[in-house]
Amino acid sequence: MPLHVPPAPAPALRSVLTALGSPTAVREARTPSLRAAQGPATPELPLPVYVLDRITAQGLTATRLAGWRFLIRCGDRAVAAADTMLTPDGWAFSHFFEGPYIASTERAVQQAEALPQSYQPRLLSVPGLYMLTLWLHGDVTAEATEGHPAATDLLVPLAPAPPGISSHRPHRVAELLPVLTHRASPVKLLGSPA
């Protein structure tokens, strides 16, 4: 079934278009792939990026919207991504980047499009595990700027995933959350205070 990709805020898209159109408008240099790209660079597949701030032993989570990510396509493939962030003045361009998460995001989205149920795609970052997932939210009518993972939503870890967690394998939140909770919990060392 098709994914219901939420529309990005217009100022976020404009900030990426400005950064692509005017390299002097941003402080950071373009990535090597963007500098070497032939033809026009187009921002596509806007995905809200959420951060999983807290995982408790009860499995309760706290997520927050951290920005919007756009894949930057040149020709027939994505060569980079652009992140935006919310500032006191609204959405602003943050930076360009490249690396394994670009191709992994494209692959996960293609896999999700083949699923029998419709989803709203989002990205969920788990900083404590250096992990990024494609979050497939089951409520396709939800505001993309709100919410937290429901037990029946799917999380697809992107490559590279932490050791012991398979990349590109969809997991129900209720199934993966206990693994993340265990992994994110601090390990008590022998002789350390309780």
Side-chain angles (χ1 to χ4, degrees), residues 19 22-30 85 87 92-96:
S22 174
T24 58
V26 295
R27 284 180 251 135
E28 280 186 36
R30 290 177 176 229
M85 62 185 174
T87 69
F93 174 78
S94 174
H95 63 279
F96 292 115

Side-chain angles (χ1 to χ4, degrees), residues 20-170:
L20 283 170
S22 174
T24 58
V26 295
R27 284 180 251 135
E28 280 186 36
R30 290 177 176 229
T31 68
S33 292
L34 280 174
R35 284 194 304 270
Q38 299 294 317
T42 309
E44 295 181 356
L45 191 65
L47 296 173
V49 179
Y50 280 80
V51 175
L52 183 61
D53 284 325
R54 187 175 60 245
I55 306 173
T56 68
Q58 296 78 25
L60 302 174
T61 60
T63 59
R64 64 181 166 81
L65 180 65
W68 282 80
R69 178 166 297 165
F70 297 79
L71 292 184
I72 306 300
R73 185 167 301 282
C74 290
D76 63 345
R77 67 184 189 99
V79 297
D83 275 358
T84 63
M85 62 185 174
L86 190 57
T87 69
D89 295 326
W91 289 101
F93 174 78
S94 174
H95 63 279
F96 292 115
F97 68 94
E98 58 186 74
Y101 285 135
I102 309 301
S104 188
T105 300
E106 281 192 306
R107 178 178 169 192
V109 166
Q110 289 170 352
Q111 288 176 301
E113 287 174 338
L115 294 173
Q117 181 179 339
S118 293
Y119 291 99
Q120 183 187 88
R122 302 171 174 196
L123 292 172
L124 181 66
S125 172
V126 186
L129 297 176
Y130 302 101
M131 180 178 180
L132 185 64
T133 69
L134 178 65
W135 167 16
L136 299 173
H137 192 48
D139 183 0
V140 297
T141 63
E143 287 292 324
T145 57
E146 298 174 357
H148 63 279
T152 57
D153 286 354
L154 296 179
L155 296 176
V156 182
L158 300 181
I165 297 176
S166 298
S167 301
H168 299 285
R169 181 179 172 265

